[in-house]
């Protein structure tokens, strides 16, 4: 009987152990628990930080520290990892806690966690506090992430005591703040860190001031040849010549030196680091030509050399980069033609060759790229007609097509117009279609066909395109009237029909465009009165009706008080504020009115109010256009680029290393 009871007890115990493994007797170390509670109580919380990021994943999460209560085991708290044997806290990961306060000062309890191996603090606001030298006491740290707001001062030299570091990530987000702060790492600290932390695999220093770190100190990275596979020194003010040998480190997979405008360098002509997957040098002054040896980078998926000083020809060997998804060579001095063999890069999603000196015909060989979403050839010397291969579906996934500021001629192939969904920019060429067709408009959210030779009417069916946000048909040969249906485009915020041959009146239906911020109808042959319904456009920040044949009284009220007389210049039959031509009761000009009398009637208050409102509105329009909505081609391009960089960023998760 006793044996049966004993066996039953063992079976029950094993059952509980298997099915409820979290039920164990181990509790977190009481000293560590006390330190964590002190740490929590030294901060206050501000959830407004979550709105500083676009599509911030924290917006749907509660703060990790909400689970930190004295009555519970700290090993079960969110963001805490404990050693399974000793109960000591070995991991502290706080991403969505919205902490605000002085974190890294002398009295911070975080330095009491002497067994800490991983410390990750992201998206918090530390009020310009500096990293205290006591961080060097955390000698067991292998992973350190401080991606926080308003951290300043010098990185203490004691960080070099962290000899076990394999992952280092410091980012201050200074560019996102109205009052940016700066954290610095000097030459001495850098040298000691690289000398002692010989197992460093990933270094991410973004917006950290490394101005004093010289070329010889950067060369110390070659001592990490057996371990280093990610090096990101983005916007760190490093200068001088970057050591080419670093680009030959055998295990390096990622190099990002972008946004260092005084950093020189050249690409190696041999012995590249073969595993390289990301090479980003944009907005540096790297120069020279693109060597054929780049063909050895078989794993490369991101090559961003934009905004540098590269010259010479595009090497045909680029076609060997069969894993490439982003190729950005814009804003250089490249010349010659596009190698037809580039069509072999079948994984290519973004191709930007804009703002160079490339002189070639339209690269029709690229039409077969099944994954290409962005193609920009703007501001080069491309010429001739835009041809199309014998295919019914050129560029099947293309969303951004920018060939502006070139010398293309002839008709735009209708196969392009029918297929694209996104942004087409062909302005400042000599391309044309005999008539504007609804099919041109049915696939775009933003349309810029300015400075070409487009003819015909604006199709009435354009009013069916409720998703349309921007329409620019300026500097063409468009005739006819402005269709009433334009007033149905509720999402339109930008409408430019200037420098055409439009006739008739402004349809009152345009007063329904509640989101419209810019309206330019200048240099046409429009007539009649300016509809009072336009005063309903409360978002309107820019208006140009000049050089037409309008007559009657300029509407008053709301944002119309902010527009200057330049908005109405060249309309001799217009009268009213802000013009010097006063109106009589029959809405006719008073022939004896003077500028002085008009100024007296206008008064100083409307001027001041209009000026202030106009300035605010202008700033809002610029901010909205470039930071919130932005041109859609830019948004989509950034989205695609960020998608690539998001993959890169997600790979920085130290837990997975």
């Amino acid at each position: 009987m006793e044996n049966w009871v004993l066996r039953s007890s063992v079976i029950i115990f094993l059952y509980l152990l298997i099915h409820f493994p979290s039920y164990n007797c181990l509790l977190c170390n009481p000293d560590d628990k006390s330190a964590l509670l002190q740490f929590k109580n030294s901060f206050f919380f501000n959830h407004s930080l979550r709105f500083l990021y676009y599509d911030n994943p924290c917006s749907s999460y509660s703060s990790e520290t909400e689970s930190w209560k004295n009555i519970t085991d700290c090993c079960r708290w969110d963001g805490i990892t404990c050693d399974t044997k000793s109960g000591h806290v070995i991991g502290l990961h706080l991403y969505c806690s919205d902490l605000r306060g002085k974190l890294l000062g002398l009295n911070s309890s975080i330095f009491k966690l002497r067994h800490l191996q991983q410390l990750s603090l992201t998206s918090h606001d530390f009020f310009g506090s500096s990293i205290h030298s006591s961080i060097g006491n955390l000698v067991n740290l292998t992973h350190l992430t401080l991606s926080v707001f308003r951290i300043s001062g010098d990185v203490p030299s004691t960080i070099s005591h962290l000899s076990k570091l394999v992952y280092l990530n410091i980012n201050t987000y200074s560019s996102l703040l109205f009052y940016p702060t700066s954290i610095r790492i000097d030459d001495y600290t850098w040298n000691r860190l690289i000398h002692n932390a010989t197992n460093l695999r990933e270094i991410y220093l973004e917006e950290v001031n490394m101005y004093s770190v010289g070329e010889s100190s950067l060369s110390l990275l070659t001592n990490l040849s057996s371990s280093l596979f990610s090096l990101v020194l983005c916007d760190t003010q490093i200068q001088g010549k970057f050591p080419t040998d670093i680009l030959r480190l055998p295990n390096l997979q990622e190099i990002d030196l972008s946004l260092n405008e005084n950093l020189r360098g050249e690409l190696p002509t041999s012995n590249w680091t073969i595993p390289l997957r990301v090479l980003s040098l944009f907005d540096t002054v790297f120069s020279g030509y693109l060597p054929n040896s780049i063909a050895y980078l078989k794993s490369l998926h991101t090559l961003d050399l934009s905004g540098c000083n590269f010259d010479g020809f595009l090497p045909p060997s680029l076609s060997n980069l069969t894993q490439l998804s982003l190729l950005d060579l814009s804003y250089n001095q490249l010349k010659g033609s596009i190698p037809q063999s580039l069509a072999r890069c079948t994984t290519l999603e973004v191709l930007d060759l804009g703002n160079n000196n490339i002189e070639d015909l339209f690269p029709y060989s690229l039409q077969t790229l099944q994954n290409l979403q962005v193609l920009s050839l703007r501001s080069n010397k491309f010429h001739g007609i835009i041809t199309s291969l014998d295919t019914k579906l050129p560029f099947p996934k293309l969303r951004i097509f920018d060939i502006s500021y070139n010398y293309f001629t002839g008709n735009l192939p209708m196969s392009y117009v029918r297929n694209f969904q996104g942004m087409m920019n062909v302005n400042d060429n000599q391309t044309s279609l005999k008539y504007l067709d609804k099919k041109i408009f049915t696939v775009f959210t933003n349309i810029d066909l300015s400075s070409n030779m487009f003819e015909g009417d604006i199709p009435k069916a354009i009013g069916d395109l409720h998703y349309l946000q921007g329409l620019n048909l300026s500097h063409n040969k468009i005739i006819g009237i402005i269709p009433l249906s334009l007033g149905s485009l509720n999402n339109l915020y930008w409408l430019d029909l200037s420098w055409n041959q439009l006739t008739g009146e402004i349809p009152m239906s345009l007063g329904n465009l509640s989101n419209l911020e810019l309206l330019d109808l200048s240099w046409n042959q429009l007539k009649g009165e300016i509809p009072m319904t336009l005063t309903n456009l409360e978002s309107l920040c820019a208006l140009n009706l000049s050089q037409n044949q309008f007559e009657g009284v300029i509407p008053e009220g709301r944002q119309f008080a902010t527009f200057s007389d330049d908005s109405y210049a060249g309309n001799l039959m217009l009268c009213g504020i802000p013009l010097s031509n006063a109106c009589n009761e029959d809405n006719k000009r008073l022939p004896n009115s003077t500028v002085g009398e008009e100024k007296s009637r206008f008064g100083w208050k409307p001027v001041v109010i209009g000026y202030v409102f106009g300035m605010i509105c202008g700033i809002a329009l610029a901010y909205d256009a470039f930071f919130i909505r932005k041109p859609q081609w830019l948004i989509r391009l950034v989205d695609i680029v960020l998608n690539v960089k998001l993959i890169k960023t997600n790979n920085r998760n130290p837990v997975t290393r």
Side-chain angles (χ1 to χ4, degrees), residues 346-362:
T346 56
T347 59
L348 205 58
E349 298 179 8
V350 177
L351 176 59
D352 192 345
L353 302 175
N355 297 85
N356 279 286
N357 297 311
I358 300 173
E359 187 171 356
D360 199 358
L361 297 173
F362 183 77

Side-chain angles (χ1 to χ4, degrees), residues 13-83:
F13 173 77
L14 291 175
Y15 177 84
L16 291 174
L17 187 63
I18 294 173
H19 290 82
F20 301 98
S22 61
Y23 281 81
N24 55 66
C25 298
L26 179 63
L27 298 176
C28 79
N29 182 275
D31 292 334
D32 289 356
K33 180 177 182 178
S34 176
L36 289 172
L37 290 174
Q38 291 178 39
F39 171 73
K40 175 184 177 181
N41 294 332
S42 64
F43 291 92
F44 66 94
F45 302 90
N46 185 355
H47 296 306
S48 62
L49 283 174
R50 301 189 175 194
F51 300 101
L52 289 176
Y53 295 106
Y54 174 73
D55 196 24
N56 189 345
C58 284
S59 58
S60 59
Y61 287 87
S62 59
S63 170
E64 293 103 329
T65 55
E66 289 182 3
S67 65
W68 293 20
K69 297 180 172 38
N70 191 36
I71 60 174
T72 58
D73 180 9
C74 75
C75 292
R76 301 177 187 272
W77 293 351
D78 293 336
I80 300 300
T81 304
C82 290
D83 182 87

Side-chain angles (χ1 to χ4, degrees), residues 259-525:
L259 296 171
N260 290 295
E261 58 184 14
N262 295 314
L263 182 64
R264 308 189 314 273
E266 296 178 352
L267 300 181
T269 57
S270 62
N271 298 326
W272 280 87
T273 171
I274 302 303
L276 199 63
R277 302 176 66 247
V278 175
L279 177 59
S280 180
L281 305 175
F282 74 86
D283 285 354
T284 65
V285 285
F286 269 71
S287 59
Y289 61 91
L290 304 182
N292 280 314
S293 60
I294 203 171
Y296 292 110
L297 305 180
K298 300 289 187 179
S299 301
L300 199 66
H301 71 71
T302 297
L303 179 59
D304 191 345
L305 307 180
S306 60
C308 295
N309 289 328
F310 290 104
D311 54 18
F313 299 92
L314 293 172
S317 59
L318 284 173
S319 61
N320 292 337
L321 306 181
T322 56
Q323 303 300 315
L324 203 61
S325 62
L326 184 148
L327 176 59
D328 191 344
L329 303 177
S330 61
Y331 292 92
N332 282 285
Q333 290 91 47
L334 299 172
K335 59 185 179 181
S337 59
I338 299 178
Q340 292 190 12
S341 59
L342 194 60
R344 298 175 189 167
C345 298
T346 56
T347 59
L348 205 58
E349 298 179 8
V350 177
L351 176 59
D352 192 345
L353 302 175
N355 297 85
N356 279 286
N357 297 311
I358 300 173
E359 187 171 356
D360 199 358
L361 297 173
F362 183 77
Y364 62 88
S365 60
L366 302 179
Q367 294 177 11
T368 58
L369 293 178
Q370 299 293 310
N371 297 298
L372 194 64
Q373 300 181 41
V374 176
L375 175 61
S376 176
L377 307 175
R378 65 178 286 126
S379 297
N380 277 285
K381 298 178 181 178
F382 289 96
H383 55 277
I385 61 174
I386 302 176
T387 57
S388 178
L389 290 175
D390 186 17
T391 175
K392 296 181 180 179
L393 196 59
F395 300 114
K397 292 186 178 180
L398 202 62
R399 298 296 178 265
I400 299 172
F401 180 63
D402 191 348
I403 59 170
S404 58
Y405 300 98
N406 280 289
Y407 303 97
F408 289 115
T409 58
N411 289 333
L412 188 66
M414 287 303 299
S415 58
Y416 286 22
V417 172
R418 295 189 186 99
N419 183 45
F420 292 165
Q421 297 182 15
M423 170 64 195
M424 175 183 284
N425 190 351
V426 300
N427 67 298
D428 281 277
N429 282 282
Q430 299 179 41
T431 56
S432 65
L433 287 176
K434 186 63 178 175
Y435 299 102
L436 287 174
D437 192 287
K438 177 190 174 183
K439 294 175 182 177
I440 297 179
F441 303 102
T442 54
V443 291
F444 304 114
T445 57
N446 272 261
I447 300 172
D448 187 349
L449 302 177
S450 60
S451 300
N452 280 284
M453 296 185 295
F454 289 103
E455 302 178 7
D457 300 333
I458 301 174
K460 296 179 181 179
I462 195 174
D464 298 333
L465 311 180
H466 298 294
Y467 49 81
L468 197 62
Q469 298 178 7
L471 177 60
N472 187 352
L473 302 177
S474 63
H475 294 268
N476 279 289
K477 299 179 180 179
I478 302 172
I479 60 174
I481 64 172
I482 301 174
L484 295 172
S485 58
L486 270 178
S488 301
L489 303 179
N490 296 325
N491 292 308
L492 200 66
Y493 68 91
W494 196 284
L495 177 59
D496 190 348
L497 305 178
S498 61
W499 292 90
N500 280 290
Q501 301 169 24
L502 295 169
T503 57
E505 300 181 354
I506 299 177
M508 291 188 294
S509 61
L510 293 190
N512 297 327
L513 302 177
S514 57
N515 293 307
L516 198 65
E517 298 173 3
L518 180 143
L519 176 61
D520 192 344
L521 304 177
S522 61
W523 293 95
N524 279 286
Q525 300 167 26

Side-chain angles (χ1 to χ4, degrees), residues 216-236:
S216 59
S217 297
L218 290 174
S219 296
L220 293 176
L221 289 169
T222 56
N223 296 334
L224 305 177
S225 60
S226 62
S227 61
L228 191 64
F229 68 82
S230 287
L231 176 64
V232 175
L233 304 178
C234 179
D235 196 8
T236 54

Side-chain angles (χ1 to χ4, degrees), residues 160-186:
S160 62
H161 297 172
L162 310 181
S163 59
K164 297 181 180 180
L165 272 184
V166 297
Y167 178 96
L168 176 62
N169 186 342
I170 302 178
N171 189 341
T172 66
Y173 301 112
S174 292
S175 60
L176 298 179
L177 301 175
F178 289 108
Y179 303 101
T181 55
S182 176
I183 186 168
R184 297 173 297 274
I185 182 168
D186 60 29

Side-chain angles (χ1 to χ4, degrees), residues 83-95:
D83 182 87
T84 55
K85 295 181 179 179
S86 67
H88 281 294
V89 174
I90 59 174
L92 174 58
H93 305 275
L94 297 181
Y95 179 55

